[in-house]
Amino acid sequence: MVIVFGTEKTTQVVFCCCTKAMVINYMVTLKGLEDQLLSVVIKVERPELEQRRESLIIETSTNKKLLKDLEDSLLRELAQSTGNMLDNVELINTLDETKTKASEVAEKLKLAAKTADEVEKNRDIYRSVAKRGAILFFILAEMATINSMYQYALSAYLEVTPSYSRLHLS
């Protein structure tokens, strides 16, 4: 099997190879790069905000996993239950415990969603800088069609972005 990694929109594979090849296009999109640059700019300008966003993502993920585990545990208990469910004290205790934990987790998720909205509003202040940076990268990438000397790697461009953000925010 042949795998072709393409970074250009015009990556082409000869037809006879298409049956034995898988084409993977890793071309970055404007929106994807904008989001990536937004995180870079926020890390430089307001590191506490980006840290809060990242911890919020981890906390939300943990809470969703806990909710799923509670659900699975409850379903497992119900499946293993024999006889009359109302007489099964252990099952009723598990139901009460699951209900309590699930309501706590649901409350935490609501709070996290509200906090995430506040964080996104604060991040949107810097979105114009990230958008300009993404547009600038694509302009620089197109310069490679003029001369190959003008090729830029995304990783190199991301190293320059923090200083670029300071220029545009001043």
Side-chain angles (χ1 to χ4, degrees), residues 50-67:
E50 189 63 18
Q51 179 63 34
R52 186 174 174 196
R53 180 181 155 282
E54 289 172 359
S55 65
L56 195 61
I57 289 170
I58 292 169
E59 181 182 329
T60 301
S61 176
T62 303
N63 284 334
K64 285 182 180 180
K65 185 182 182 314
L66 178 62
L67 204 54

Side-chain angles (χ1 to χ4, degrees), residues 64-81 85 88 90-99 101-102:
K64 285 182 180 180
K65 185 182 182 314
L66 178 62
L67 204 54
K68 174 90 171 83
D69 290 345
L70 288 171
E71 203 175 278
D72 290 345
S73 172
L74 181 60
L75 289 173
R76 188 174 38 259
E77 289 273 340
L78 286 171
Q80 293 174 353
S81 176
M85 288 187 200
N88 190 340
E90 186 178 319
L91 179 62
I92 292 174
N93 289 339
T94 303
L95 281 169
D96 287 338
E97 184 180 317
T98 301
K99 181 181 175 185
K101 286 181 182 178

